[in-house]
Amino acid sequence: MESREIRLKSGATGLPTAANFETGTVTVAAPGAGEVQVRNRWMSVDPYMRGRMYTERASYIPPFQVGEPLQGHAVGEVVASNDPDFAPGDLVSSMFGWREAFTMSGKALQKLPRLPGVPDQAYLGVLGMPGLTAYAGLLEIGQPKPRDTVFVSGGAGAVGSVVAQIAKVKGCTVVATAGSDAKCDWLRSVGIDHAINYKTGNLLAAVQAAVPGGIDIYFDNVGGEHLEVAIEVARQGARFAECGMISAYNATEPVPGPRNLIMVVGKSLKIQGFIVSNYAHLQPQFMTDMGGWIAAGQIKWEETVEDGIDRAPHAFLGLFSGANTGKMLVRL
Ligand code: NDP
């Protein structure tokens, strides 16, 4: 079986471009003992992949290798199997995205249930890594209580939109930011109390007008000005879940810290970064809770889909211009 794949052509400084990627074709071997052949149906592009494109800079995961296919979450179907745990037609997730098909040890795969009303690609979004990130960061670090006020940046994205809706499930008031009026309209349509287009007007004034009493929790996907605003409007003892800082991912110079960091002391703020892989133990409870919320109509999701492996770099680059509402996906 032939498979096209996207390889890293060169490491990126500043905003990556299509020139950092190249397409290659390989022949996928028939499965040997204990191996499974998979045809990918969906692959994920995620902001953290940007960090893996710095070939010279350390990140919390090793960099992609020039000339090698990129990696990332994918959902596919088993085509042939020499592992008794997998049969043709099984739905599986893996870290072997950015390619149309592959043969790997069955140990590198996770079998996925086909649930009524849940499309396969939801395992890359609301029921996958972004969903668990939202769940772990908000519940473990944010510790939301009913009537708390939660501020989430990147509110219409894969992680942010789930954070905002879980906060509503927990009885909180939610203020979310997003980069367009259409994204803000969608946030209001799923019950978010205040949606702010951060690209128009003064962000601090808009947040203060929305929640004059301040915030108890900030879930940060963006960093930069958003983080400064959150510190400014934080109530005494507020919790900050530092999930990501996408505004700085393509910076070519060190980014200045929040100018008002001194307020952390007087307001007794608790600011904690986290990586979702440190919360893998929450996976079973996450699946139970999220499955229940989806079935009850309390969590809804959007997705933005590009078609074909050739469009994967375009989909990835779109994350940095806000091309996606909800999860950015590539259908293979
Ligand atoms: P999103 O679906 O939110 O996509 C990225 C979005 O970021 C864009 O749609 C855009 O939305 C916004 N954005 C892009 N550039 C900027 C900018 N300069 N300033 C403000 N907003 C910007 O991605 P994810 O939900 O997958 O990820 C969200 C965040 O969570 C990222 O920072 C990511 O790195 C982080 N993350 C962290 C994990 C962890 O374990 N700590 C795990 C997974 C994700 P808009 O139109 O609103 O600008």
Side-chain angles (χ1 to χ4, degrees), residues 45-48 60 129-130 133 154-160 177-180 183 198-199 220-222 226 242-247 249 274-277 318-324 326-328:
V45 290
D46 297 272
Y48 79 86
Y60 61 91
M129 183 276 282
T133 303
V159 174
T177 57
S180 74
K183 291 184 184 189
Y198 71 92
K199 290 185 176 167
D220 195 8
N221 288 311
V222 165
H226 273 87
E242 290 301 326
C243 175
M245 299 195 181
I246 195 168
S247 69
Y249 290 178
F274 73 102
I275 296 297
V276 61
S277 49
L319 293 170
F320 302 100
S321 59
N324 59 308
K327 182 74 192 104
M328 183 67 104

Side-chain angles (χ1 to χ4, degrees), residues 247-261:
S247 69
Y249 290 178
N250 298 309
T252 51
E253 299 291 332
V255 177
R259 290 166 299 177
N260 55 356
L261 192 61

Side-chain angles (χ1 to χ4, degrees), residues 210-298:
V211 286
I215 63 165
D216 302 288
I217 296 170
Y218 176 51
F219 193 105
D220 195 8
N221 288 311
V222 165
E225 185 191 2
H226 273 87
L227 178 53
E228 269 187 18
V229 166
I231 292 172
E232 197 72 31
V233 300
R235 281 185 187 143
Q236 197 71 21
R239 287 84 66 199
F240 282 42
E242 290 301 326
C243 175
M245 299 195 181
I246 195 168
S247 69
Y249 290 178
N250 298 309
T252 51
E253 299 291 332
V255 177
R259 290 166 299 177
N260 55 356
L261 192 61
I262 194 169
M263 289 183 174
V264 169
V265 180
K267 292 187 178 194
S268 303
L269 303 183
K270 183 174 172 185
I271 301 184
Q272 186 182 330
F274 73 102
I275 296 297
V276 61
S277 49
N278 295 337
Y279 291 89
H281 59 282
L282 296 181
Q283 180 73 20
Q285 191 60 45
F286 161 69
M287 292 302 281
T288 304
D289 287 347
M290 188 58 78
W293 294 331
I294 291 171
Q298 290 173 292

Side-chain angles (χ1 to χ4, degrees), residues 96-111:
F96 302 107
W98 296 90
R99 67 205 79 189
E100 292 175 314
F102 62 90
T103 294
M104 288 287 164
S105 163
K107 292 187 174 57
L109 305 177
Q110 189 194 357
K111 202 188 293 195

